[in-house]
Amino acid sequence: MNNYENLKNKQESNHRESFAKAVAQDKTANYLDVENTHGWSRSYPLYKMEKFFRHIAPSEVVTIGDGKGGHEAQIIKRFGNKVIATDIATEMLEVAKKRNLIDDFAKEDAENLSFADNSFDYCFIKESLHHLPRPYLCIYEMLRVAKKGIILIEPNGDRSYQIGKEQYESSGNYKYQFTLKELVQCAACLGFNHVAYGYSPNVHYILNCLCFQQEFPEKWANKETRPKPMELAGKLMPCSIKYGDKFQQSKPGFEKAIDEWYKSHEPQVNPLLIFMIFKNKISPQLQDVLKECDFEIPDIKPNPYTN
């Protein structure tokens, strides 16, 4: 067994154990909820893209690496599309299907999808590509099974990657961080000149700052007692959890804070890069929708030596 196979087996085992534990301990109800503070903050990039998903509806979409309860599939479904959620481990997806949260699911190897060519309109992956030992194989597979295009949401390598400071995760994988130029070149190499890109902020950081300021104003005013930036950028802090039962009332304030933060910073400083490859020319109507979602649509020079 080679190193790639060892890593793949380790990742599958880790995911299965984690998901099975959540099911066994009956923690799935809260975990599957995409409308509580945690679920909404994790899935914020999809809510940011709501107008896009509603514009393409009713499309057939497959989500890759969506094993944590099919969060992406749930949201894209809510926006009017038919979605199949896939992952290398399906314990949580089985529960989501039984509760009618997702349309369907399948166990899939992201680097070797079992679907036929052009099986879906769109293929979607969020923060799972960087877990793979051969992430470009997944991109090629997504392009193979998608008729119209693919959507990637991944760590922004332009912002965070430094040689000599490579990052690895507990499941054994290297944390691959894509740059915008790298993904544009990937599309151009394959003859796809119609792309769009945008960014998404660290929602945990913004919510932690907002909630800590509101709940502990004296601590926030003092730099000695204020949480460090790395703490704020990590998991949602206990002061945020109190909004759980009142999340819907709190959400407009959260949305406003995120919007104000995004507009006051350069887009490329955000930790998540959203990249889309379209197989055909982007229509004027879709261009307008993408721009409303804060996407850029660059002019990619076509290959003059091919038809």
Side-chain angles (χ1 to χ4, degrees):
M1 186 179 292
N2 60 36
N3 186 56
Y4 157 70
E5 291 172 331
N6 280 328
L7 177 57
K8 185 176 175 182
N9 290 338
K10 176 178 173 60
Q11 288 177 322
E12 180 175 359
S13 176
N14 282 357
H15 281 83
R16 290 185 64 187
E17 288 177 12
S18 174
F19 297 159
K21 184 177 180 180
V23 174
Q25 295 179 349
D26 197 27
K27 293 182 177 179
T28 55
N30 186 59
Y31 201 86
L32 292 171
D33 187 357
V34 295
E35 277 297 332
N36 61 22
T37 311
H38 285 280
W40 181 80
S41 60
R42 277 195 306 264
S43 304
Y44 176 78
L46 283 88
Y47 291 109
K48 176 181 171 66
M49 297 171 64
E50 178 176 353
K51 289 182 179 179
F52 165 77
F53 286 117
R54 291 197 182 280
H55 178 82
I56 66 170
S59 286
E60 293 189 354
V61 181
V62 60
T63 60
I64 310 297
D66 199 8
K68 293 183 178 180
H71 289 170
E72 291 89 66
Q74 287 188 53
I75 296 169
I76 297 172
K77 175 185 176 182
R78 290 185 184 190
F79 296 153
N81 301 283
K82 183 178 181 181
V83 192
I84 293 179
T86 72
D87 196 85
I88 199 169
T90 60
E91 285 74 11
M92 293 287 283
L93 293 178
E94 292 172 15
V95 178
K97 172 62 176 173
K98 287 178 182 177
R99 297 180 185 174
N100 201 33
L101 297 174
I102 57 176
D103 292 317
D104 208 348
F105 71 93
K107 178 180 172 65
E108 289 289 334
D109 176 355
E111 296 179 356
N112 185 25
L113 299 173
S114 67
F115 306 113
D117 296 359
N118 301 316
S119 294
F120 305 92
D121 294 310
Y122 291 92
C123 202
F124 179 94
I125 190 166
K126 176 183 175 290
E127 295 184 82
S128 292
L129 196 59
H130 67 268
H131 293 294
L132 305 177
R134 300 177 296 181
Y136 275 95
L137 283 184
C138 178
I139 293 177
Y140 303 148
E141 281 291 272
M142 290 172 69
L143 285 165
R144 179 182 66 79
V145 304
K147 293 181 215 171
K148 298 181 180 180
I150 68 172
I151 303 117
L152 322 173
I153 302 178
E154 288 295 324
N156 178 11
D158 289 306
R159 172 184 179 270
S160 53
Y161 175 60
Q162 297 180 50
I163 295 175
K165 294 186 178 181
E166 287 71 26
Q167 299 179 39
Y168 298 88
E169 298 182 322
S170 59
S171 58
N173 64 282
Y174 169 68
K175 185 179 178 181
Y176 200 107
Q177 298 171 77
F178 294 88
T179 68
L180 175 60
K181 288 182 179 179
E182 179 182 5
L183 289 172
V184 169
Q185 291 182 93
C186 173
C189 281
L190 298 170
F192 299 118
N193 307 116
H194 308 296
V195 305
Y197 67 91
Y199 299 92
S200 186
N202 184 329
V203 176
H204 281 187
Y205 176 82
I206 298 167
L207 296 193
N208 279 335
C209 289
L210 177 68
C211 297
F212 202 91
Q213 282 178 274
Q214 290 181 358
E215 190 165 355
F216 307 108
E218 293 181 0
K219 288 184 178 181
W220 182 264
N222 186 337
K223 289 185 178 181
E224 297 299 319
T225 55
R226 182 188 303 175
K228 300 293 186 290
M230 289 301 295
E231 292 179 87
L232 292 166
K235 295 181 179 180
L236 283 174
M237 300 171 68
C239 58
S240 297
I241 307 303
K242 75 184 186 70
Y243 290 95
D245 295 335
K246 300 179 180 178
F247 176 67
Q248 292 306 319
Q249 296 94 318
S250 304
K251 190 162 70 169
F254 292 162
E255 291 173 329
K256 181 180 178 182
I258 294 168
D259 187 56
E260 289 176 350
W261 193 96
Y262 191 83
K263 289 179 178 178
S264 63
H265 292 76
E266 290 296 321
Q268 61 270 23
V269 306
N270 290 285
L272 290 179
L273 170 63
I274 309 173
F275 191 77
M276 308 167 112
I277 301 175
F278 296 93
K279 290 192 169 182
N280 296 297
K281 187 175 181 180
I282 305 172
S283 70
Q285 295 84 358
L286 181 53
Q287 287 188 39
D288 289 342
V289 170
L290 289 169
K291 289 174 183 177
E292 286 185 51
C293 297
D294 296 319
F295 279 86
E296 297 287 335
I297 305 170
D299 292 323
I300 308 301
K301 181 180 177 181
N303 187 340
Y305 304 107
T306 58
N307 294 325

